[in-house]
Amino acid sequence: MSFEYHRATSLTDAVQALRQPGARALGGGTDLLPQIREGLASPRTLVDLRALPGSSSIDWDHDGTVAIGASVRLTELARDVRLAADFPMLSQSCAAVGSHALRNMGTLGGNLCQRPRCWYFRHGFACHKNGGDSCPALAGENHQHAIFGGGPCVAVHPSDPAVALAALEATLHLAGPDGDREVAVADFFVLPDRRLDQETVLAPGEIITRIVIPGSSAGGVQRYDKVMQRDSWDFALVSLAACRRQDGDVRLVLGGVAPIPWRVTDSIEEDVASGGLGEDDIETLGERALYDARPLAHNAYKVELAGTLLRRAISWLGEA
């Protein structure tokens, strides 16, 4: 396949280039290039966003808020000393992505915008996401698919940092042909019953420019846990971002179980925040959090894994 390459030098330049038919944004390319190889993308022009001013910077405000350029590489985020101190969930989630090579290439913005890794979608089977009228995973190989929020598609979103950023209540700054806007990470990803052609609210030609985490989410106690089929280089079967903020509020967000980062209900978070929980209380809260899970024929194990992570996190948050 042949295509043109355009290295955008300004935000205006990038937006104008992406308005052209067949243009695709390029960050690290760790998902786009596989998409091209798998026949899911046929770009005429690749618009490289990595030279945009501020795109590769990490900037701190006086109140502890941090703004991360969309082109900052995952390795840099995993190793940044201040991020590890103030927002350890983000550092841990970035360190959990793929291999060293993928983290060295992959960007935060690109990781958030990657497509699902469902093998039916990725290997040319007719499905809802590539023009078909059914989901072959429903009656097929669905070991790694959704137990929450699925239907009519049951693919899960593969991003690790998305789960941590949802728990940290981060905001995404977007730019496109119609101007700039801000979207909370919790509102950025969309369920398949809302739209099937993509997994985010990005409009045509729109890109993420930076990711902002408020200072109010800094500190406290935070942890990102990830269970994989292999020891490394794999996507999450189930993951969990858990934190107790400095104001005492608790956030629990599951990954690998839904087409979006799946936040545990407010009432459960409030009960965890209240403290004084015994073993029976922790067991009950774990069960309540998974009450609405709807496992498929081959992925009921995800309910057990999610329960284990939740009980461990609830206990840990109570002791911290």
Side-chain angles (χ1 to χ4, degrees):
M1 172 183 290
S2 62
F3 46 78
E4 296 184 357
Y5 170 82
H6 178 76
R7 188 171 180 84
T9 56
S10 69
L11 192 54
T12 300
D13 179 25
V15 170
Q16 290 178 344
L18 287 168
R19 297 183 67 176
Q20 304 307 310
R24 289 289 300 269
L26 173 66
T30 56
D31 186 39
L32 178 57
L33 296 183
Q35 285 184 52
I36 294 172
R37 184 176 63 248
E38 293 159 354
L40 298 175
S42 302
R44 297 182 187 177
T45 304
L46 295 183
V47 182
D48 193 335
L49 307 177
R50 291 171 292 183
L52 296 180
S55 184
S56 298
S57 65
I58 302 174
D59 301 309
W60 295 87
D61 203 346
H62 62 88
D63 66 351
T65 295
V66 62
I68 302 168
S71 296
V72 176
R73 299 186 187 278
L74 299 173
T75 290
E76 183 177 353
L77 296 171
R79 295 176 177 175
D80 188 278
V81 174
R82 185 168 179 183
L83 280 176
D86 288 4
F87 305 106
M89 278 196 303
L90 178 59
S91 297
Q92 293 162 11
S93 68
C94 290
V97 174
S99 64
H100 290 291
L102 288 174
R103 293 192 295 273
N104 286 337
M105 286 293 295
T107 63
L108 182 56
N111 184 274
L112 298 178
C113 294
Q114 64 184 301
R115 304 299 309 275
R117 300 292 171 151
C118 170
W119 42 70
Y120 292 106
F121 171 58
R122 290 279 177 163
H123 291 90
F125 289 85
C127 75
H128 287 300
K129 284 194 172 294
N130 60 21
D133 59 3
S134 64
C135 174
L138 284 173
E141 294 293 330
N142 48 47
H143 295 78
Q144 297 186 10
H145 290 72
I147 59 174
F148 290 107
C153 168
V154 292
V156 300
H157 198 275
S159 173
D160 291 298
V163 181
L165 290 169
L168 291 168
E169 299 186 314
T171 299
L172 304 181
H173 290 232
L174 313 179
D178 296 326
D180 302 340
R181 62 180 176 134
E182 298 178 14
V183 178
V185 168
D187 299 322
F188 180 68
F189 301 98
V190 295
L191 289 170
D193 62 1
R194 179 176 168 188
R195 66 181 305 171
L196 285 166
D197 59 323
Q198 64 183 52
E199 297 72 47
T200 72
V201 299
L202 283 176
E206 198 170 37
I207 59 172
I208 300 173
T209 58
R210 57 181 176 155
I211 299 90
V212 178
I213 310 175
S216 57
S217 293
V221 290
Q222 307 179 17
R223 185 163 69 189
Y224 181 77
D225 282 333
K226 177 179 179 179
V227 179
M228 298 173 286
Q229 188 169 350
R230 296 172 290 186
D231 289 338
S232 62
W233 306 0
D234 210 348
F235 298 99
L237 297 175
V238 179
S239 64
L240 176 65
C243 67
R244 181 189 293 273
R245 301 176 1 154
Q246 293 192 57
D247 61 10
D249 285 351
V250 167
R251 298 290 183 271
L252 298 167
V253 181
L254 288 162
V257 298
I260 62 174
W262 195 259
R263 184 171 172 182
V264 173
T265 58
D266 292 349
S267 62
I268 293 174
E269 291 176 335
E270 291 170 1
D271 286 346
V272 175
S274 67
L277 301 174
E279 291 185 8
D280 290 344
D281 300 317
I282 294 172
E283 185 72 26
T284 299
L285 287 173
E287 291 177 357
R288 279 175 51 198
L290 298 167
Y291 179 78
D292 292 328
R294 296 293 180 267
L296 302 168
H298 304 297
N299 69 357
Y301 73 92
K302 286 196 174 191
V303 179
E304 296 183 17
L305 286 181
T308 298
L309 291 185
L310 282 166
R311 289 190 296 272
R312 181 191 304 169
I314 292 170
S315 177
W316 171 71
L317 290 174
E319 296 172 356

